[in-house]
């Protein structure tokens, strides 16, 4: 039976970096591609990083009950996990990895219980988080401000999840993340 590994954190903490590493390391893991109406970044690919949708199409899918969970993570920016995506990966016999915001992570955990492990990725400090967010150079000033404001709030959610993974020195983080995956996948439940 497939298992679900949910990585959650404030924007800039390192979720995407960690999740990418794990997908390379473990053949039986697959990424749950979320849907969003936000603009595609230059290096992103539709269907690989996200399903990029118009706001109209996103709302239509919400009305049709197509999402397990969805959130307006930033004003006017929607993100959600499609039921069809989980179904697809489930049928392929994969363990599923999620990179989603704190509220979405709680919803998935509630929906799947012991089959799911929710991991909060914690930056070493707020200052380092903001530095990483800036150094990624994906946001304009307005978007950066929005993300930093939301990050302050999301940092308080640390205690809501099964595990906390501190992302300070990347090689050590990768090692710890691999152990978390191995232990959870091998565990009977
Ligand atoms: P998230 O997906 O949580 O928004 P990213 O994985 O995009 O975060 O990481 C944000 C930025 O921080 C990226 O430029 C990434 O290369 C960098 N980064 C991630 N982990 C570390 C780390 N341990 N030390 C230094 N920089 C990091
Ligand atoms: P970004 O725009 O940086 O790719 O993502 C912004 C935030 O949305 C991140 O915290 C990311 O984890 C979250 N996110 C991505 N996909 C989903 C999803 O399907 N559901 C929810 N609730 N959040 C998501």
């Amino acid at each position: 039976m497939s298992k679900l590994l949910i990585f959650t954190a404030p924007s800039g903490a390192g979720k995407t970096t960690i999740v990418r590493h794990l997908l390379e390391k473990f053949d039986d893991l697959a990424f749950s591609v979320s849907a969003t109406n936000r603009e595609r970044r230059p290096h992103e690919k539709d269907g690989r990083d996200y399903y990029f949708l118009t706001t109209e199409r996103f709302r239509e899918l919400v009305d049709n009950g197509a999402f397990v969970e969805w959130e307006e993570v930033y004003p006017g920016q929607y993100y959600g996990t499609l039921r069809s995506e989980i179904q697809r990966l489930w049928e392929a016999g994969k363990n599923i990895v999620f990179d989603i915001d704190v509220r979405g992570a709680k919803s998935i955990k509630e929906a799947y219980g012991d089959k799911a492990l929710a991991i909060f990725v914690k930056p070493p400090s707020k200052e380092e988080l903001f530095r990483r967010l800036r150094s990624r150079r994906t946001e304009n000033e307005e978007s950066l401000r929005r993300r930093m404001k939301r990050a302050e709030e999301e940092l308080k959610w640390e205690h809501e999840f099964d595990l906390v993974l501190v992302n300070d020195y990347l090689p050590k983080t990768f090692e710890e993340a691999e152990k978390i995956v191995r232990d959870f996948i091998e565990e009977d439940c």
Side-chain angles (χ1 to χ4, degrees):
M1 186 81 182
S2 304
K3 296 198 180 169
L4 290 76
L5 287 137
I6 310 160
F7 286 85
T8 189
S11 186
K15 291 182 300 293
T16 310
T17 308
I18 296 165
V19 165
R20 282 214 185 117
H21 171 79
L22 293 173
L23 290 167
E24 272 178 27
K25 194 88 195 171
F26 296 94
D27 284 344
D28 56 350
L29 284 190
F31 183 57
S32 165
V33 180
S34 298
T36 185
N37 70 337
R38 89 141 155 74
E39 270 190 38
R40 193 174 61 79
R41 295 173 187 153
H43 63 279
E44 287 178 327
K45 238 172 97 178
D46 187 39
R48 182 192 67 185
D49 298 289
Y50 283 105
Y51 298 113
F52 292 97
L53 308 178
T54 61
T55 305
E56 215 173 35
R57 179 68 186 139
F58 195 102
R59 291 212 178 113
E60 213 172 80
L61 289 169
V62 170
D63 291 344
N64 294 344
F67 290 105
V68 185
E69 64 77 34
W70 66 274
E71 297 288 336
E72 185 174 2
V73 178
Y74 304 106
Q77 282 185 14
Y78 304 104
Y79 298 80
T81 307
L82 289 161
R83 293 183 193 284
S84 56
E85 180 69 3
I86 296 192
Q87 193 63 29
R88 181 176 75 80
L89 300 175
W90 214 290
E91 280 167 11
K94 299 284 190 181
N95 295 301
I96 311 176
V97 182
F98 298 79
D99 169 345
I100 60 180
D101 91 313
V102 290
R103 289 179 178 79
K106 283 216 80 155
S107 304
I108 298 275
K109 174 71 190 181
E110 275 163 28
Y112 293 94
D114 288 348
K115 289 264 159 273
L117 185 73
I119 303 130
F120 183 87
V121 179
K122 185 181 175 180
S125 66
K126 201 162 64 182
E127 292 68 32
E128 172 63 11
L129 174 71
F130 292 169
R131 196 196 62 74
R132 285 182 195 169
L133 202 46
R134 275 188 186 283
S135 72
R136 197 173 63 187
R137 299 182 182 280
T138 51
E139 314 305 315
N140 60 33
E141 275 306 313
E142 163 65 22
S143 165
L144 258 179
R145 215 167 329 112
R146 235 187 288 151
R147 282 174 184 254
M148 291 199 278
K149 185 161 168 264
R150 186 170 173 108
E152 300 239 37
E153 196 233 321
E154 290 187 332
L155 281 170
K156 298 179 192 147
W157 285 60
E158 168 182 349
H159 305 289
E160 302 281 327
F161 302 101
D162 299 317
L163 288 175
V164 174
L165 174 63
V166 177
N167 180 21
D168 188 353
Y169 178 55
L170 208 46
K172 182 164 171 277
T173 306
F174 284 165
E175 216 174 278
E176 287 173 3
E178 286 169 31
K179 182 167 173 11
I180 289 170
V181 172
R182 243 181 262 118
D183 289 352
F184 184 60
I185 287 177
E186 282 165 14
E187 180 185 290
D188 286 329
C189 65

